[in-house]
Amino acid sequence: MISDDSRPERIPPIGSCCSPTRPGHDRPTQPGADVRTRPPDPARHELEQATVSGRRFLMGDSTGAGNRGDGEVPVHEVWVDNFQIDATTVTNAAFARFVAQTGYRTEAETYGYSAVFHLAVAADPEDILGQPPEIPWWLGVRGADWTHPAGPRSTLEGVHDHPAVHVSWNDALAYCAWAGRRLPTEAEWECASRGGLPGRAFPWGDEWGDRYRCNTWQGVFPTLNTVDDGWLTTAPVREFAPNAFGVWQSVGNVWEWCSDWWDEHYYSYSPNRNPSGPPAGARRTMRGGSFLCHDSYCNRYRNSARASNTPDSSAANIGFRTVGIAQHGSNE
């Protein structure tokens, strides 16, 4: 373990196979660049949109597969107004346009390190800054950031259509401000992921069938990934198939930031119309699981699965998608 005070001693977990929390930062920070909110501009944000009409749906885990402490119950009826959501997560190409126009530096770049999965590291030994004993498959890697997703010896070559990763909640918010967008609420995210299928575990239903449906772990976690689905880490955002709403890979691939503060008890008191999360907190909600999810350890690649992290945390399996600011009536 490297003990130099200028480096992180370890990267503590938030639980399970989720992404590590940046140590020593338990309060939200502000974006690292002065990016003011702009009117919506399709020329800035060119990702295809999926339109979700206003509707009621059952939010929460109806299958009994939820993880204790994640707050996936009670199942409750929620109404969400019409909204448009990115059909895919924000890609490296899209994030690069934002950075090119604003000069924005992500928090991983500012801090000088981020978390990389141990089988995917592209870095010299001296750039490995820590390995938490609770989740040893995560390494703190100096020089890991959105342009170097596996570490300083990696690039974006060949992955421009993959999700932008090593993006903190604050970074995602800065992108939204530039693009005239916002992050989805948990309720909007889950409604979009379900694709109109009530109570189902996955965007396509409850069964896997005879083919891979999303990018998760195959083999023995965390030491052997057989890569049967073709991907050790992230997959292109349009890999596999979209759900009935036209939303691609809402489960698996990368965790996606939502706008809500985190409270594992929120479902017991949340409003039943357009819930937007608790009024305050220390962590923000993430949805969808990632390429590290596996039934033996972290089965959070489900519509109702929830997790959280501090707003300045980043890792190789955290990305985001956005929602249009303009609403078009409740259609109720």
Side-chain angles (χ1 to χ4, degrees):
M1 187 70 66
I2 297 172
S3 59
D4 184 341
D5 289 341
S6 67
R7 302 178 183 180
E9 183 175 336
R10 70 184 185 97
I11 298 179
I14 66 169
S16 182
C17 65
C18 304
S19 302
T21 298
R22 193 173 296 283
H25 302 274
D26 56 3
R27 293 183 180 180
T29 58
Q30 296 301 314
D34 183 15
V35 182
R36 293 179 173 85
T37 301
R38 303 172 183 270
D41 185 350
R44 292 179 182 273
H45 184 75
E46 299 176 351
L47 297 184
E48 179 187 354
Q49 297 298 293
T51 299
V52 181
S53 60
R55 66 187 58 231
R56 290 186 177 86
F57 75 101
L58 293 178
M59 187 171 183
D61 174 38
S62 302
T63 69
N67 296 283
R68 181 179 297 180
D70 284 357
E72 294 184 48
V73 291
V75 176
H76 55 294
E77 187 177 82
V78 168
W79 171 271
V80 291
D81 290 342
N82 301 348
F83 64 97
Q84 286 193 322
I85 189 169
D86 295 338
T88 70
T89 49
V90 172
T91 61
N92 284 313
F95 201 77
R97 288 193 295 272
F98 158 60
V99 171
Q101 292 189 27
T102 64
Y104 183 82
R105 282 175 54 82
T106 62
E107 293 193 298
E109 292 170 286
T110 301
Y111 286 119
Y113 75 100
S114 191
V116 180
F117 183 65
H118 74 118
L119 295 183
V121 172
D124 295 325
E126 58 267 27
D127 290 322
I128 307 302
L129 305 182
Q131 183 177 27
E134 302 94 332
I135 46 171
W137 47 89
W138 282 112
L139 301 177
V141 178
R142 178 168 47 201
D145 55 50
W146 76 275
T147 59
H148 306 91
R153 294 174 59 187
S154 64
T155 69
L156 293 182
E157 183 177 357
V159 295
H160 293 284
D161 60 345
H162 287 229
V165 294
H166 299 291
V167 175
S168 72
W169 186 89
N170 291 319
D171 298 331
L173 205 64
Y175 177 97
C176 287
W178 166 78
R181 309 281 295 177
R182 62 178 175 82
L183 292 174
T185 66
E186 270 201 275
E188 289 170 334
W189 189 97
E190 185 170 325
C191 182
S193 183
R194 289 190 175 279
L197 298 178
R200 298 296 187 257
F202 308 112
W204 56 85
D206 285 328
E207 305 298 330
W208 279 90
D210 58 359
R211 60 192 176 96
Y212 289 104
R213 302 276 193 160
C214 62
N215 179 18
T216 58
W217 185 275
Q218 302 94 53
V220 181
F221 185 84
T223 56
L224 174 65
N225 190 337
T226 58
V227 197
D228 293 340
D229 67 0
W231 307 100
L232 174 63
T233 58
T234 61
V237 297
R238 290 181 180 271
E239 190 74 1
F240 307 101
N243 70 9
F245 288 166
V247 175
W248 296 74
Q249 290 204 78
S250 56
V251 300
N253 216 21
V254 294
W255 284 100
E256 301 179 19
W257 290 113
C258 290
S259 61
D260 306 41
W261 289 110
W262 169 261
D263 180 357
E264 63 269 29
H265 306 298
Y266 181 60
Y267 287 4
S268 65
Y269 67 90
S270 65
N272 60 12
R273 188 180 183 91
N274 297 317
S276 58
R283 307 166 77 88
R284 295 287 183 174
T285 303
M286 303 187 302
R287 286 301 203 112
S290 80
F291 58 80
L292 294 181
C293 281
H294 187 268
D295 280 344
S296 69
Y297 197 72
C298 169
N299 67 338
R300 291 182 175 90
Y301 54 102
R302 294 175 290 105
N303 290 323
S304 64
R306 309 173 72 216
S308 68
N309 213 330
T310 58
D312 61 348
S313 289
S314 62
N317 68 341
I318 300 181
F320 70 108
R321 74 179 75 211
T322 73
V323 164
I325 291 175
Q327 298 294 323
H328 305 287
S330 68
N331 199 32
E332 186 174 17

